[in-house]
Amino acid sequence: MSVGIRYDWQKEEIQAIYNTPLLELIYQAASTHRQYHDPTKIQVCKLISIKTGGCPEDCSYCAQSSRYKTEVTPQALLEKETVVSIAQQAKANGVSRVCMGAAWREVRDNSQFEHVLAMVKEVTALGLEVCCTLGMLTEAQAQRLSDAGLYAYNHNLDTSQDYYSTIITTRTYDDRLNTINNVRQTNVTVCSGGILGLGESVDDRLAMLQTLATLRPHPESVPINILSQVSGTPLEDQPDVPIWDVIRMIATTRLVIPAADVRLSAGRARLSQVEQALCFLVGANSIFSSDDGHMLTVTTPCPGYSADQEMLNLLGLETRPPFEGAKKVDREVVLG
Ligand code: SAM
Ligand code: SF4
């Protein structure tokens, strides 16, 4: 079986893949994974929250929104030296991609942006892939990040267009797609995915996947987050997502966006090694790891470097060096 890259996915086709008998789906996804990726390699990423909390947006899942009373204490933008030293330590622990996140609605053309550009330059100079997730971005700002050497920009769709306004009211799906399009006009690669467990239906998850799978070119990176319930947010009491939903979603992502890196991101901390192994088998090829046990914010847990290294050793997986990930598929054709 050989799966090609397509941009015309219909919702019914994606539903049929998702509903394939489970072991057959696992087999197909694992086969496609091997067709496009080295199945012995996993990319380890480190998220650095360069500006934590106090965000004006109302994303119902997020510990960093100023609308909700959570355990997060807002912090000013980190010093460049602090970020570089965290990145150096991460590199020494097998990390090949550093993602710098800021709890901003959008990037503003001010001294803080200059500061972030300087961080991007210095962390890139360490030989690491640098990704930023800073909220909405204009094309000119995306170009400046590109000029600073940025490798990837993360901007998640999070859920379907229909369900979006149930989760976030302070921006629209089109705002999200516009930023992704602005990034696409530059050399920076696109990282965009979603969250499972916001109270959405399986149809919503597949509609989001259809939006991602019909972007041309496809995002080079697709994070699949599992909601990490945060006390004080409107979604604090959401039930855990069943593991087979996670496996089906990763497998379906692998089959419809075959060349992308699929990142098993937030929520991994509650999965057993066996569950994670299945995620890797069906196509997840990246994890976030950390020395301090925290990932997106102080309330979103993430396994530690040594526990992850042990797991990778156990599974016979190696860490992937920087710049060996998904390439820009069909990019030349699109940018003409
Ligand atoms: N403010 C920026 C933005 O929203 O684009 C970037 C920061 S935000 C931490 C990046 C992503 O983390 C979100 O799009 C969401 O998918 C994920 N995320 C945040 N809180 C989460 C939670 N409690 N559980 C799972 N994923 C979460
Ligand atoms: Fe702000 Fe991003 Fe959290 Fe939304 S997900 S509240 S934009 S930090």
Side-chain angles (χ1 to χ4, degrees), residues 51-68 101-106 133-136 158 164 168 170-171 176 195 297:
K51 195 269 165 194
T52 304
C55 183
E57 301 281 72
D58 69 352
C59 312
S60 313
Y61 49 78
C62 187
Q64 304 201 70
S65 167
S66 60
R67 318 256 173 150
Y68 316 126
W104 288 332
R105 169 176 163 74
E106 77 253 291
T133 180
L134 314 169
M136 290 184 269
D158 280 343
Y164 202 72
I168 299 156
T170 48
R171 57 171 190 258
R176 233 43 199 169
I195 312 183
T297 73

Side-chain angles (χ1 to χ4, degrees), residues 156-159 192-196 198 208 212 222-227 249 263 265:
N156 292 331
L157 291 179
D158 280 343
T159 189
S192 186
I195 312 183
L196 312 181
L198 306 173
M208 175 190 80
L212 293 169
V222 180
I224 302 291
N225 290 306
I226 307 163
L227 178 72
M249 187 68 184
R263 304 187 193 276
S265 309

Side-chain angles (χ1 to χ4, degrees), residues 17-263:
I17 292 174
Y18 184 89
N19 291 316
T20 303
L22 192 57
L23 292 185
E24 180 60 24
L25 176 62
I26 291 172
Y27 177 74
Q28 286 184 13
S31 308
T32 298
H33 184 51
R34 275 154 178 71
Q35 193 186 327
Y36 286 88
H37 304 270
D38 178 348
T40 66
K41 296 260 167 43
I42 291 281
Q43 182 170 44
V44 183
C45 311
K46 159 79 177 158
L47 193 126
I48 306 177
S49 184
I50 59 169
K51 195 269 165 194
T52 304
C55 183
E57 301 281 72
D58 69 352
C59 312
S60 313
Y61 49 78
C62 187
Q64 304 201 70
S65 167
S66 60
R67 318 256 173 150
Y68 316 126
K69 210 173 158 334
T70 69
E71 279 174 21
V72 169
T73 315
Q75 279 170 15
L77 189 61
L78 293 183
E79 293 296 331
K80 187 178 68 182
E81 292 66 32
T82 310
V83 173
V84 170
S85 105
I86 298 171
Q88 273 165 333
Q89 203 200 340
K91 186 181 174 187
N93 281 286
V95 164
S96 63
R97 179 161 167 134
V98 164
C99 183
M100 308 199 296
W104 288 332
R105 169 176 163 74
E106 77 253 291
V107 169
R108 304 232 170 105
D109 294 308
N110 56 17
S111 59
Q112 301 216 330
F113 186 38
E114 301 301 325
H115 207 79
V116 173
L117 291 168
M119 288 177 193
V120 169
K121 273 192 197 136
E122 286 212 17
V123 179
T124 301
L126 298 175
L128 292 165
E129 291 174 24
V130 181
C131 174
C132 276
T133 180
L134 314 169
M136 290 184 269
L137 211 60
T138 64
E139 191 182 328
Q141 290 164 340
Q143 191 54 54
R144 292 204 64 202
L145 285 163
S146 178
D147 294 343
L150 189 72
Y151 187 74
Y153 195 81
N154 165 269
H155 207 60
N156 292 331
L157 291 179
D158 280 343
T159 189
S160 69
Q161 180 143 32
D162 286 350
Y163 198 62
Y164 202 72
S165 60
T166 313
I167 298 301
I168 299 156
T169 68
T170 48
R171 57 171 190 258
T172 65
Y173 217 62
D174 281 344
D175 288 334
R176 233 43 199 169
L177 290 168
N178 274 340
T179 293
I180 291 172
N181 189 43
N182 289 339
V183 174
R184 260 300 167 231
Q185 306 312 311
T186 72
N187 266 327
V188 177
T189 60
V190 170
C191 173
S192 186
I195 312 183
L196 312 181
L198 306 173
E200 76 286 352
S201 64
V202 168
D203 270 2
D204 286 310
R205 294 174 191 164
L206 301 184
M208 175 190 80
L209 210 46
Q210 187 193 17
T211 305
L212 293 169
T214 51
L215 290 175
R216 186 171 184 150
H218 286 162
E220 288 79 6
S221 160
V222 180
I224 302 291
N225 290 306
I226 307 163
L227 178 72
S228 181
Q229 298 92 336
V230 176
S231 296
T233 63
L235 299 181
E236 62 182 352
D237 292 327
Q238 279 297 316
D240 280 348
V241 179
I243 185 64
W244 294 117
D245 284 23
V246 177
I247 302 290
R248 280 191 185 275
M249 187 68 184
I250 292 174
T252 308
T253 306
R254 174 51 69 222
L255 286 161
V256 299
I257 315 180
D261 287 323
V262 176
R263 304 187 193 276

Side-chain angles (χ1 to χ4, degrees), residues 273-292:
Q273 286 189 342
V274 175
E275 290 169 338
Q276 293 181 61
L278 264 174
C279 292
F280 301 142
L281 181 68
V282 298
N285 61 348
S286 168
I287 55 173
F288 283 81
S289 192
S290 186
D291 44 354
D292 53 13

